[in-house]
Amino acid sequence: MAQHIQGTEDLFGGYMRAWQHMQDVARDLFGAYGFDMIETPAIEQVSTFVHGIGESTDVVRKEMFRVFSGALMERLLQSGSESSLKAKQRLALRPEGTAGVVRAAVENNLVPQGGAPVKVWYAEAMFRGERPQKGRLRQFHQVGVEWLGASDPASDAECIIMLMEFYRRVGFDPSKLTLRINSMGDANCRPAYRQKVRQFILDHKDEMCEDCLERAEINPLRSFDCKNDHCRQVMAGAPLVTDNLCDDCREHYAKVKQYLDEAGISYIEDPTLVRGLDYYMRTVFEVEVEGSGVGAIGGGGRYDGLMELEGGKPTPGLGFAVGFERMYLALQELGVDLAGQEPPCVYVACTPEERDEVFSATLALRQAGVRAEADYQGRSLKSQFKQADKHHACLCVVLGPDEVAAGKATLRDMSTHEQVQVPLSELVNQVCERVSQKH
Ligand code: HAM
């Protein structure tokens, strides 16, 4: 039997309804904040991700799924080296949404100089070659937003407020969520801070793991996130970014916190929060569910230098993304049923002789917007009623020989089992009225 790839999932039934529910919440909420939907291709040139996410990040170095056509793969195998491929032929599946959106904004001039900011949201599959485990998949789904052209700290605060409202609307009790925030400084103050952290790691090199020693050279701040407990204990003594911010960054961070306080959003300041993508500067944030082992259910921050890295004019930007699968797991642990029921339907039951009448009636009901089911396997009436229950039908329309001869249909309420007869000419109206009463 063919099998799915480990770390990928099939979305159907209640799981799919939950994913759609999250998209519905996002459409309503983000729409109210002025965000329009965008979809960028699932494959991009590798350089789009390398420029944006950063060459030294795990996401780019280890986790990107590379894409080759069969013909290119043959060439690659013959030449034995990727250098035979042009940049345009080096493709990857998107590991996250921000780099592609920013690439699209540059290419389509979505933020013209002096023009209004662009605000977009997306709901897409992302791909990362990580070791699969609970809440960590190779293909997963994110709902995310990107806000390009806004530099005011009020936009950072609004993004976070919108994110926390999103969690509340999908079913989280806000008291169970932990929001951590930090400022990572900017091009002005971060280089000196990075250098201090690098020196700290080198001063403690006997106590740090191999990975951290490598990080000291390429990305020292990532050592705050090392999986090794001992490294993290040592890093607890490292210089903190918040003690090393320039005046502008400190002021920006203070304003963000002031707005969050004003909006009644609780947060924890965590000066060791560094995030795994290199494009961030100034505000960063992450959300976890208390006592849950699924990891962060969302995160984001400001990335003012990213438009330039993707070849555009200097333009500030910020955003966040939430992981659907992790939110689903966390909500399940909290006992929130996100899957819900299938929407109510109407079942049209018949005997084989009345097939044609049922065909017309079902068609008319569907054209009027009613979710209608019928039997296509020649089942007995009794077994069709069972099917109707399985489909959670609220109403059954029975078209037997007596009904058809009298130009009528029997309507059976599936919860009370009450039955009434209505003229066939009124069937659609009567069904619509009864279904709307059920909602
Ligand atoms: P990220 O923190 O890498 O940020 O991912 C956002 C969320 O996606 C995570 O908090 C988690 O819920 C989910 N996620 C990440 N990796 C996996 C995985 N392997 N399996 C399941 N879920 C996962 C970003 O992707 C940024 N682009 C967010 C952003 C948008 N920043 C600014 N704008």
Side-chain angles (χ1 to χ4, degrees):
M1 192 175 62
Q3 281 190 330
H4 73 287
I5 298 167
Q6 231 201 338
T8 67
E9 290 181 333
D10 302 309
L11 264 64
F12 58 90
Y15 202 26
M16 188 65 192
R17 278 198 294 281
W19 172 225
Q20 287 176 328
H21 172 65
M22 285 194 191
Q23 293 179 53
D24 291 344
V25 170
R27 190 170 295 107
D28 274 2
L29 175 64
F30 302 163
Y33 275 80
F35 286 78
D36 284 330
M37 202 171 187
I38 190 169
E39 183 164 328
T40 59
I43 47 175
E44 296 269 357
Q45 287 188 40
V46 164
S47 56
T48 299
F49 302 122
V50 173
H51 292 157
I53 299 169
E55 201 150 10
S56 63
T57 55
D58 281 355
V59 172
V60 162
R61 287 171 71 211
K62 303 179 188 164
E63 295 166 6
M64 243 179 358
F65 280 110
R66 308 291 298 270
V67 179
F68 301 101
S69 67
L72 270 186
M73 190 58 126
E74 256 175 41
R75 231 171 78 195
L76 201 60
L77 289 173
Q78 272 163 13
S79 70
S81 148
E82 220 197 330
S83 55
S84 64
L85 299 186
K86 298 189 186 105
K88 274 190 190 158
Q89 293 170 322
R90 297 181 199 181
L91 309 177
L93 286 173
R94 63 171 167 237
E96 58 99 56
T98 312
V101 167
V102 170
R103 191 269 312 139
V106 172
E107 207 173 329
N108 299 291
N109 195 24
L110 296 183
V111 201
Q113 210 70 24
V118 68
K119 296 160 113 176
V120 289
W121 74 277
Y122 47 86
E124 290 169 347
M126 307 291 164
F127 308 84
R128 294 186 194 176
E130 300 195 73
R131 202 157 54 83
Q133 50 186 285
K134 183 182 170 196
R136 194 172 293 282
L137 294 155
R138 288 172 166 172
Q139 175 173 347
F140 58 98
H141 295 81
Q142 282 186 348
V143 169
V145 309
E146 310 299 345
W147 185 349
L148 306 172
S151 56
D152 196 295
S155 56
D156 305 47
E158 280 191 17
C159 248
I160 296 174
I161 294 165
M162 189 168 82
L163 172 65
M164 299 316 280
E165 176 62 12
F166 175 80
Y167 290 127
R168 197 189 64 75
R169 290 197 192 180
V170 294
F172 283 103
D173 171 351
S175 71
K176 297 272 187 301
L177 300 179
T178 309
L179 164 67
R180 292 184 300 135
I181 63 168
N182 189 21
S183 172
M184 296 193 59
D186 63 6
N188 197 11
C189 52
R190 192 156 52 185
Y193 173 63
R194 261 174 77 116
Q195 190 52 32
K196 275 193 191 175
V197 176
R198 175 178 170 270
Q199 195 52 54
F200 177 87
I201 297 172
L202 296 179
D203 291 345
H204 294 79
K205 64 173 185 283
D206 297 341
E207 302 164 74
M208 308 290 285
C209 71
E210 281 295 311
D211 280 351
C212 278
L213 296 183
E214 198 187 332
R215 285 182 188 122
E217 297 312 325
I218 54 173
N219 204 347
L221 304 193
R222 296 291 313 142
S223 292
F224 283 110
D225 246 4
C226 184
K227 304 275 180 294
N228 184 315
D229 283 344
H230 186 68
C231 290
R232 280 218 304 280
Q233 273 166 25
V234 176
M235 288 304 287
L240 294 177
V241 67
T242 30
D243 298 329
N244 288 275
L245 295 176
C246 58
D247 288 348
D248 285 351
C249 285
R250 197 175 311 114
E251 219 171 278
H252 187 99
Y253 191 36
K255 267 297 195 197
V256 174
K257 288 185 285 182
Q258 179 200 314
Y259 291 135
L260 289 179
D261 291 339
E262 199 179 314
I265 301 282
S266 9
Y267 54 85
I268 294 172
E269 283 185 69
D270 178 357
T272 67
L273 176 66
V274 288
R275 308 271 299 135
L277 312 158
D278 269 0
Y279 48 61
Y280 291 114
M281 54 170 286
R282 293 197 170 164
T283 318
V284 287
F285 47 91
E286 233 168 56
V287 179
E288 281 179 36
V289 184
E290 224 170 71
S292 153
V294 301
I297 55 165
R302 176 167 283 287
Y303 47 76
D304 291 351
L306 185 54
M307 282 284 266
E308 270 170 289
L309 290 174
E310 297 290 1
K313 303 211 171 68
T315 311
L318 71 164
F320 63 74
V322 296
F324 159 66
E325 289 81 359
R326 288 192 192 177
M327 283 193 291
Y328 187 85
L329 280 173
L331 282 166
Q332 262 189 331
E333 282 172 8
L334 293 170
V336 179
D337 171 29
L338 210 63
Q341 291 285 336
E342 272 177 52
C345 78
V346 169
Y347 195 93
V348 190
C350 70
T351 45
E353 294 71 32
E354 281 67 45
R355 192 82 204 69
D356 294 353
E357 283 77 6
V358 167
F359 180 84
S360 320
T362 315
L363 191 66
L365 286 170
R366 287 176 181 155
Q367 280 171 343
V370 175
R371 185 179 163 111
E373 285 292 345
D375 172 56
Y376 301 91
Q377 286 153 300
R379 288 189 170 93
S380 69
L381 262 184
K382 194 171 160 204
S383 126
Q384 288 184 53
F385 285 141
K386 277 194 191 146
Q387 278 299 309
D389 274 333
K390 270 197 189 145
H391 283 293
H392 306 291
C394 58
L395 204 65
C396 215
V397 177
V398 186
L399 284 170
D402 297 345
E403 279 91 352
V404 170
K408 293 193 167 167
T410 300
L411 301 187
R412 181 183 167 91
D413 186 309
M414 295 301 282
S415 44
T416 63
H417 293 173
E418 268 174 58
Q419 298 198 162
V420 287
Q421 287 211 323
V422 298
L424 266 179
S425 56
E426 280 177 38
L427 178 66
V428 171
N429 282 347
Q430 290 280 344
V431 167
C432 286
E433 203 172 294
R434 282 175 163 75
V435 169
S436 68
Q437 281 166 8
K438 294 271 177 196
H439 284 301

